[in-house]
């Protein structure tokens, strides 16, 4: 993924590592995590969107959609999250990430 794609899709300004946008770096993989301290429509919409992305990308060779999330917000929305667990192969919490689950994908 190129820096301009990361900026466009994830809203992350990486200009400090791209000579203020003058050099186009490419990353082999990108990890974005999210954390929800409260429940609400944003959390539910994220779950629906990520479930759709997982289903749409399921048959792309050489591509794994992996979701890292966490936070107390999921306590109230656990039924929604459970729906995603049922169809998504790779969904992890922040603690899984801290414990090195990402190493399973770096082979």
């Amino acid at each position: 993924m190129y820096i301009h794609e990361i900026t466009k899709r994830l809203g992350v300004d990486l200009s400090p590592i791209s000579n203020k946008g003058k050099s186009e770096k490419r990353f082999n993989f990108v990890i974005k995590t999210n954390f929800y301290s409260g429940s609400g429509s944003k959390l539910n919409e994220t779950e629906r969107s990520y479930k759709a992305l997982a289903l749409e990308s399921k048959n792309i060779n050489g591509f794994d959609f992996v979701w890292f999330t966490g936070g107390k917000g999921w306590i109230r929305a656990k039924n929604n999250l459970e729906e995603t667990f049922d169809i998504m192969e790779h969904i992890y919490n922040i603690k899984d990430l801290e414990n090195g689950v990402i190493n399973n994908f770096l082979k």
Side-chain angles (χ1 to χ4, degrees):
M1 191 175 214
Y2 288 98
I3 283 181
H4 77 274
E5 295 171 310
I6 295 169
T7 300
K8 182 179 176 183
R9 292 182 188 181
L10 304 178
V12 177
D13 178 15
L14 295 177
S15 61
I17 63 169
S18 67
N19 193 19
K20 297 187 170 122
K22 295 176 186 165
S23 74
E24 184 71 63
K25 296 188 183 321
R26 183 174 173 200
F27 296 86
N28 291 332
F29 60 91
V30 176
I31 299 171
K32 181 181 181 195
T33 63
N34 52 36
F35 184 85
Y36 298 98
S37 58
S39 61
S41 61
K42 173 72 172 157
L43 186 138
N44 294 330
E45 181 55 36
T46 299
E47 177 269 329
R48 280 191 292 276
S49 295
Y50 284 15
K51 182 169 58 174
L53 283 170
L55 289 171
E56 291 169 1
S57 64
K58 193 173 188 171
N59 295 320
I60 299 174
N61 290 331
F63 179 86
D64 288 310
F65 182 81
V66 181
W67 183 18
F68 292 98
T69 191
K72 293 190 298 186
W74 285 116
I75 294 170
R76 286 191 174 167
K78 64 183 174 187
N79 291 334
N80 294 41
L81 190 58
E82 186 176 355
E83 284 180 35
T84 306
F85 267 110
D86 290 342
I87 62 102
M88 199 170 165
E89 183 178 355
H90 302 292
I91 182 170
Y92 303 99
N93 64 33
I94 304 299
K95 193 66 168 175
D96 293 328
L97 184 59
E98 291 171 352
N99 288 332
V101 74
I102 192 68
N103 293 323
N104 297 337
F105 301 97
L106 302 178
K107 296 176 185 175

